Amino acid sequence: MSENITKRLGFLGVGTIGHAVVRGAIEAGLLTEKRKSNTLEIVEVFLSPRGKGKLEDLRNAYESLKNNVGTSTKNLPVSLNVCSLNQEVVDNSDWLFIGIHHKDLRTALKALTFRKDQILISMASAVTRDQIFQYCSEKVPMQNIYRVTPLPACKHLHGTTLIYPRNERIAYFFDCMGSAVQVDSVDELLKLQTATAFMGDFYQRKAVITNWLREEGVNKQTAASYVAKLFATIISDAVAKCETDENVFEHLVAEQTPGGLNEAVVKEQREAGAYDLLVDSLKTSKERFGGGVISKRKETEDKYNEKKQKK
């Protein structure tokens, strides 16, 4: 690749997701000299001023990193800077991660001046590349605008992040804090994003189990700890097999002992219509992700990529 691998990263908006990505970069060692590679070399990080509590956590994590890397100049972390203005973040960044809430995004970006050589990486799930292009007054070329869907688990290095369109350096960055999944179209991105709407449902189901255990007399902390670790154990089997088995979940369901407790629960849930309701929620979530401006814009993005591929 001819593109310069040395990058200064900027984060507009250090909310839950922005914080998770920066914290993940710290935990993954991406801000130390020893994590340099032929793919990506981060030299500075610039953060927007809002989010006092999360910025303080990042400062503490960064200071801990500095204390742990030793005295060798090769291991010293790159600088982490909290800016007083969003424009300062923009001016100092090669890669600009956008984590501003979609309701405030247009106003925030319209007030800023961008460079045409910058890479914009939008973490706003309900905002299209075309919208970002318009909000930046068309100063940044469309081919320099990306959409990613990092989740809070990035800070624990267990994140799974969708990336559109494909970019090997951005994929490397997110692979370092979990895994990256690159997609080839807006339609594919939209459908995969739908699955992320079930994070709350996942936690709610674990909360129901945990609360039932507590009502049965199990210690509260024991119940919470066991349920969290139990389901991490269960899903690890699927994670280990998913790259080579496209029907991994069907196969794991089929492995349950005939006439056993696990099979009985699946049968009860199916007969109660629980899985039909799950499909209904998938459909409505897809509509929410693709509603309004998004559904009107995705065709524009696909047409743009088709033209780019033909050139």
Side-chain angles (χ1 to χ4, degrees):
M1 299 180 182
S2 59
E3 181 190 349
N4 190 343
I5 66 170
T6 303
K7 303 297 177 187
R8 298 169 300 160
L9 309 188
F11 288 81
L12 287 177
V14 188
T16 299
I17 299 302
H19 167 267
V21 173
V22 178
R23 184 64 189 262
I26 293 172
E27 299 298 332
L30 283 166
L31 305 192
T32 62
E33 295 282 331
K34 64 181 179 181
R35 194 59 190 260
K36 287 182 178 179
S37 75
N38 293 329
T39 302
L40 179 65
E41 177 185 330
I42 299 170
V43 292
E44 285 188 278
V45 178
F46 298 87
L47 308 175
S48 60
R50 296 185 65 180
K52 184 177 179 181
K54 296 188 186 306
L55 289 173
E56 188 62 30
D57 175 76
L58 293 176
R59 284 195 189 95
N60 292 337
Y62 178 72
E63 290 301 318
S64 177
L65 175 66
K66 287 202 296 185
N67 293 333
N68 291 334
V69 295
T71 57
S72 170
T73 56
K74 291 185 178 181
N75 290 335
L76 290 177
V78 303
S79 60
L80 184 72
N81 310 282
V82 178
C83 302
S84 57
L85 298 170
N86 281 342
Q87 187 62 57
E88 185 180 350
V89 178
V90 176
D91 291 344
N92 286 285
S93 302
D94 302 307
W95 282 8
L96 188 63
F97 291 80
I98 301 173
I100 300 170
H101 193 280
H102 69 90
K103 292 181 179 178
D104 304 317
L105 191 57
R106 183 180 185 278
T107 300
L109 296 188
K110 284 285 188 181
L112 301 171
T113 302
F114 300 87
R115 303 189 313 274
K116 66 179 181 179
D117 65 328
Q118 287 181 304
I119 298 293
L120 304 189
I121 304 170
S122 174
M123 301 184 291
S125 61
V127 179
T128 69
R129 294 167 66 229
D130 190 67
Q131 285 176 283
I132 298 292
F133 180 66
Q134 298 296 329
Y135 297 166
C136 296
S137 302
E138 302 183 6
K139 294 293 176 62
V140 179
M142 181 73 89
Q143 61 264 32
N144 285 9
I145 301 173
Y146 294 84
R147 293 174 65 180
V148 299
T149 62
L151 297 172
C154 282
K155 64 178 177 281
H156 304 303
L157 309 185
H158 293 298
T160 300
T161 304
L162 297 172
I163 300 170
Y164 173 74
R166 291 175 176 268
N167 183 295
E168 295 305 321
R169 290 198 173 91
I170 296 174
Y172 170 81
F173 177 76
F174 283 107
D175 265 332
C176 289
M177 55 190 79
S179 61
V181 177
Q182 302 193 68
V183 298
D184 295 313
S185 70
V186 177
D187 188 60
E188 186 179 25
L189 176 70
L190 175 61
K191 290 172 181 175
L192 288 169
Q193 269 187 298
T194 301
T196 68
F198 287 78
M199 181 167 58
D201 175 77
F202 177 84
Y203 290 136
Q204 179 60 33
R205 288 173 180 268
K206 308 307 163 284
V208 169
I209 296 171
T210 302
N211 289 331
W212 180 84
L213 289 170
R214 291 170 177 172
E215 289 171 1
E216 291 291 306
V218 177
N219 175 274
K220 291 182 178 180
Q221 187 59 58
T222 300
S225 178
Y226 177 70
V227 170
K229 293 174 182 177
L230 169 65
F231 283 92
T233 300
I234 291 171
I235 200 62
S236 67
D237 201 14
V239 171
K241 299 174 180 178
C242 66
E243 295 296 336
T244 56
D245 184 357
E246 63 181 18
N247 297 312
V248 58
F249 292 108
E250 289 87 345
H251 290 156
L252 288 171
V253 171
E255 284 181 8
Q256 306 310 305
T257 304
L261 295 175
N262 281 281
E263 185 185 66
V265 170
V266 172
K267 182 179 179 181
E268 289 171 359
Q269 294 288 303
R270 182 178 291 120
E271 290 177 351
Y275 303 129
D276 292 332
L277 288 175
L278 185 64
V279 173
D280 289 342
S281 292
L282 281 164
K283 291 176 180 177
T284 55
S285 295
K286 179 175 178 288
E287 289 173 2
R288 292 182 184 121
F289 270 118
V293 178
I294 295 178
S295 60
K296 296 175 185 176
R297 301 280 190 176
K298 76 182 186 71
E299 184 178 353
T300 302
E301 292 195 18
D302 279 334
K303 286 182 178 179
Y304 171 83
N305 283 303
E306 287 175 7
K307 290 180 180 177
K308 182 182 175 184
Q309 290 173 1
K310 290 178 182 178
K311 290 182 179 179

